[in-house]
Amino acid sequence: MKKGTGKFTMGRWVTILSLALIVLIAGCGSNNNGNNAQGASGSASSSPAASGSASASPSDVPALPADVKKRGKLVVGVKVDYPPLGYLDEKGKNAGYEIGVVKKMAQYAFGDENAVEFVAVNATNRIPYLESKKIDFIAATLGVTEERKKQLDFSTNFFDGGAVTVVKKGSDIKQIPDLAGKKVIVIKGSTGSTYLEENVPTAEQIKIESNADALRALKDGRADAMFHDAVLMSEFVKTSTDYTIVGEQVAFAPMAIGVRKNEPEMLAFVNGALEQMRKEDYFKTLIEEYLPQAGDLDPMKMIPRP
């Protein structure tokens, strides 16, 4: 996505989501370590505010683990179907807010923002990929939950978001309690799905792994509603004008980077890099690039600031 273009036309949605589906299918079916990745050096689109220089990493950003430093690049699990946070642009290259964060980390570590290999993951396989060491860490719309803390270590938060309900205009669903007894599309393994299980247990969840398939199912009329991330759904209703967001935003889950347990050096690097970005107000730069608007949401309230 070119700088300054925050809106997604329907044609761009079709292109992005079609590419996303292809990459996710390839990614989930591959067993080799990162060979299913979308992009290595030079394969990701340029992030905003890239320095273009090979400057040394800031002194207050801790060093990477020795084996990763020797490899010469980061290998990171990211979303490819989640605009504007992580997606494939019209050229099939990784783009989005989280992609910009990871590329800045690569710049700190190696003096080159392209020293990163992006591996396409989804809500179901991202933690298994981390545990099996196919990736160094997860930067894939990962909400912080107590259950996930048992599986991995979280960085400090770098984005806050919640879930909303999307229905076709004219629906009798007006609030979250109205989802009781209704068919509701959710993303398998998402915080939204967990929220419904706990708060609206009679909702009939239709659990789908990818956003592309989930949005297609909604448009095909397979459910009465979709309950999912507020940012993504706000972008969706901008172009799919026969749908609307109803009720309040709930299931707030700060997003963070996921790191394997017992890897203190990697966690220290990630946290140090995120803190450096906060000091530089780099998250604001990314938000201005990728999320200038999100329905009634104020994107500047979703990010750490100096």
Side-chain angles (χ1 to χ4, degrees), residues 6-27:
K7 297 183 178 179
F8 289 83
T9 64
M10 181 55 71
R12 293 182 73 183
W13 263 97
V14 171
T15 300
I16 289 169
L17 294 177
S18 297
L19 285 168
L21 184 59
I22 292 170
V23 173
L24 282 171
I25 291 171

Side-chain angles (χ1 to χ4, degrees), residues 27-71:
C28 293
S30 174
N31 290 322
N32 50 28
N33 186 10
N35 290 339
N36 60 320
Q38 172 58 37
S41 285
S43 70
S45 61
S46 296
S47 63
S51 69
S53 67
S55 59
S57 61
S59 59
D60 51 353
V61 175
L64 279 167
D67 57 334
V68 178
K69 187 72 174 179
K70 183 178 180 180
R71 184 206 297 148

Side-chain angles (χ1 to χ4, degrees), residues 29-280:
S30 174
N31 290 322
N32 50 28
N33 186 10
N35 290 339
N36 60 320
Q38 172 58 37
S41 285
S43 70
S45 61
S46 296
S47 63
S51 69
S53 67
S55 59
S57 61
S59 59
D60 51 353
V61 175
L64 279 167
D67 57 334
V68 178
K69 187 72 174 179
K70 183 178 180 180
R71 184 206 297 148
K73 66 179 179 180
L74 300 172
V75 180
V76 184
V78 298
K79 290 288 185 71
V80 295
D81 64 343
Y82 217 104
L85 301 181
Y87 63 97
L88 299 181
D89 66 14
E90 293 148 319
K91 295 182 180 180
K93 296 183 178 181
N94 295 87
Y97 176 86
E98 290 185 314
I99 303 304
V101 169
V102 174
K103 294 185 76 173
K104 193 69 168 177
M105 288 181 175
Q107 182 181 332
Y108 290 155
F110 302 106
D112 178 5
E113 67 163 20
N114 290 311
V116 53
E117 181 178 321
F118 293 113
V119 179
V121 298
N122 57 39
T124 303
N125 66 21
R126 57 191 171 184
I127 294 179
Y129 270 36
L130 180 69
E131 292 175 330
S132 62
K133 298 188 176 182
K134 291 183 178 180
I135 54 179
D136 296 324
F137 54 83
I138 302 169
T141 66
L142 187 67
V144 179
T145 67
E146 292 304 313
E147 186 63 28
R148 289 173 182 160
K149 287 180 181 179
K150 299 174 185 177
Q151 300 174 280
L152 50 79
D153 287 332
F154 283 104
S155 71
T156 53
N157 305 336
F158 69 102
F159 192 85
D160 288 326
V164 295
T165 306
V166 169
V167 298
K168 203 156 192 180
K169 289 181 176 177
S171 169
D172 59 355
I173 297 172
K174 306 298 182 184
Q175 300 290 335
I176 291 172
D178 297 337
L179 296 175
K182 302 291 188 180
K183 292 182 178 179
V184 185
I185 294 168
V186 297
I187 299 299
K188 185 177 181 181
S190 67
T191 52
S193 176
T194 301
Y195 178 89
L196 286 185
E197 288 172 358
E198 295 175 350
N199 295 275
V200 193
T202 60
E204 183 183 340
Q205 293 192 37
I206 299 175
K207 299 181 180 181
I208 299 177
E209 289 198 352
S210 79
N211 291 310
D213 289 344
L215 292 171
R216 186 177 299 114
L218 179 65
K219 290 203 163 191
D220 287 345
R222 290 177 52 193
D224 303 296
M226 183 167 172
F227 188 70
H228 195 28
D229 176 76
V231 173
L232 181 67
M233 300 317 294
S234 294
E235 291 292 336
F236 171 73
V237 298
K238 285 180 185 178
T239 55
S240 301
T241 55
D242 48 342
Y243 290 86
T244 187
I245 294 174
V246 296
E248 61 181 331
Q249 183 180 185
V250 295
F252 288 95
M255 285 179 7
I257 303 292
V259 178
R260 270 185 299 276
K261 288 283 189 183
N262 302 314
E263 292 195 359
E265 283 185 294
M266 179 61 77
L267 185 60
F269 165 76
V270 169
N271 281 334
L274 293 175
E275 175 59 15
Q276 183 66 25
M277 288 181 223
R278 186 193 66 79
K279 291 178 180 178
E280 296 174 9

